[in-house]
């Protein structure tokens, strides 16, 4: 996770948890004048639009006081959804045996973007199955990862 996202997570986690939600992750996407701060929240029962509005209101107050971002941005609060992005190795643990889409920072075995079955996790290493190949990837090598929903 980039430095700004880590700072924002530390800053916003108490406000999100006080409302009864888990702060699943934060993305800050810089795009000139149209940057976006995307906050993912979760809870066991699922997330409603009202939940997102409540968190947005609370988080906006914290951001207004702390003012951690020195550029214009749009705030989005969302559920991780069916294609939930992963921000930590602990979030992946319940999804062993599932298919995950990966984008690596550097190609490994000629693969930078691919889908693989998450076979296991050991320390910060993911054991993956890509077709007939096995691949081990460290969490530090992952730029992005998200669950690939199965409709079986």
């Amino acid at each position: 996770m980039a430095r700004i996202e880590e700072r924002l997570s530390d800053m916003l986690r108490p406000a999100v948890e006080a409302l009864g939600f888990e702060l699943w992750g934060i993305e800050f996407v810089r795009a000139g004048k149209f940057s976006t701060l995307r906050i993912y929240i979760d809870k066991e029962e699922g997330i409603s639009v009202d939940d997102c509005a409540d968190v947005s209101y609370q988080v906006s107050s914290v951001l207004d006081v702390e003012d951690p971002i020195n550029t214009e941005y749009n705030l989005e609060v969302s559920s991780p959804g069916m294609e939930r992005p992963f921000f930590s190795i602990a979030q992946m643990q319940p999804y062993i045996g599932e298919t995950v889409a990966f984008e690596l920072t550097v190609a490994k075995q000629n693969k930078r973007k691919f889908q693989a079955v998450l076979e296991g996790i050991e320390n910060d290493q993911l054991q993956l199955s890509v077709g007939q190949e096995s691949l081990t990837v460290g969490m530090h090598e992952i730029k992005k990862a998200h669950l690939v929903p199965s409709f079986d």
Side-chain angles (χ1 to χ4, degrees), residues 60-129:
S60 290
S61 298
V62 173
L63 292 170
D64 287 346
V65 170
E66 298 293 332
D67 199 22
I69 301 171
N70 59 4
T71 185
E72 291 182 35
Y73 63 92
N74 292 315
L75 174 64
E76 294 179 3
V77 177
S78 173
S79 151
M82 290 176 26
E83 289 188 6
R84 58 184 52 231
F86 294 116
F87 296 91
S88 72
I89 211 159
Q91 291 175 334
M92 293 183 188
Q93 193 73 41
Y95 298 95
I96 291 176
E98 301 287 335
T99 301
V100 177
F102 292 93
E103 181 179 345
L104 303 181
T105 54
V106 176
K108 194 162 190 172
Q109 293 182 357
N110 296 322
K111 292 174 178 55
R112 192 165 167 265
K113 290 182 179 183
F114 59 91
Q115 292 184 4
V117 175
L118 179 58
E119 297 291 345
I121 299 172
E122 206 171 298
N123 300 320
D124 75 336
Q125 301 291 308
L126 306 175
Q127 285 77 44
L128 308 175
S129 175

